[in-house]
Amino acid sequence: MIGEWISVNDRLPDIDELCLLSMENRITKYRRIVIGYYHTNYDEYVTHWMPLPESSKESEDTNES
């Protein structure tokens, strides 16, 4: 199950936590979603984030072969 978006004003992800980031360009207001690590050096402004969902059971079985 996918969780809710968390505002960066409420809380930040852990330093080494790979997560979904909702980003907005400060000039064009263009929004996009990326997978990455939160840091303040982006050209775009991170507004929200959420932890990645757990991998499916099927993909775990495939990796074990």
Side-chain angles (χ1 to χ4, degrees), residues 4-39:
E4 297 291 321
W5 286 104
I6 301 166
S7 170
V8 295
N9 295 326
D10 294 337
R11 153 171 96 91
L12 296 176
D14 292 335
I15 297 294
D16 57 355
E17 181 178 3
L18 189 61
C19 53
L20 293 176
L21 302 170
S22 177
M23 304 175 81
E24 179 180 300
N25 184 292
R26 294 176 193 262
I27 297 169
T28 64
K29 301 300 182 195
Y30 174 77
R31 291 182 167 266
R32 68 185 180 127
I33 307 245
V34 299
I35 296 174
Y37 299 96
Y38 176 84
H39 61 79

Side-chain angles (χ1 to χ4, degrees), residues 39-52:
H39 61 79
T40 58
N41 296 332
Y42 287 117
D43 291 333
E44 296 165 310
Y45 173 65
V46 177
T47 60
H48 293 78
W49 67 278
M50 80 167 60
L52 290 176

